[in-house]
Amino acid sequence: MKSLALGAGLLAMAIVPAACTTGAAGSSATGGSQMVSVTPAIKAEIRRQGHDPDEEVCKREEQMGSTIPRRICATRAEWAAKTQASRDGTRAIQNNALRTPDPNAG
């Protein structure tokens, strides 16, 4: 049972970041079925670090099933929102993996 939960967690950790790879101009970006939105708090944190949250940054990310990395561009705020959504998703998956069903439930 423990190995099944571990395997599900590892699989989910591989899927969540892959679902957050497409960027779009504007205040939100979609990656797969996940909606990522840029909040004022995210923009404020980036400004606090001394960066422009609306500056476009391009990164090279390896795609699953390909040896050729893909160039993906998004604003700093969108990258931060994607990172936060990925962390939140991973945390939720890990917390749910530790829950066991109630043996007394019907």
Side-chain angles (χ1 to χ4, degrees), residues 1 96-106:
M1 186 64 157
N96 289 334
L98 296 176
R99 292 197 176 117
T100 57
D102 184 10
N104 299 323

Side-chain angles (χ1 to χ4, degrees), residues 2-106:
K2 190 183 265 187
S3 64
L4 178 64
L6 179 61
L10 292 175
L11 177 64
M13 286 175 36
I15 293 171
V16 171
C20 298
T21 57
T22 44
S27 63
S28 66
T30 58
S33 62
Q34 184 179 20
M35 182 68 166
V36 178
S37 54
V38 177
T39 63
I42 291 173
K43 285 189 171 190
E45 177 62 24
I46 294 171
R47 281 191 192 99
R48 189 188 67 74
Q49 294 173 1
H51 299 289
D52 178 15
D54 297 321
E55 177 185 5
E56 189 170 278
V57 177
C58 295
K59 296 182 180 183
R60 292 170 56 110
E61 291 188 355
E62 292 185 21
Q63 300 299 305
M64 191 178 284
S66 175
T67 58
I68 302 170
R70 193 168 114 190
R71 186 173 183 210
I72 300 170
C73 298
T75 65
R76 286 185 188 274
E78 289 172 342
W79 284 117
K82 290 176 190 181
T83 301
Q84 185 62 42
S86 180
R87 286 182 184 152
D88 292 344
T90 301
R91 186 176 301 117
I93 289 167
Q94 290 173 342
N95 287 340
N96 289 334
L98 296 176
R99 292 197 176 117
T100 57
D102 184 10
N104 299 323

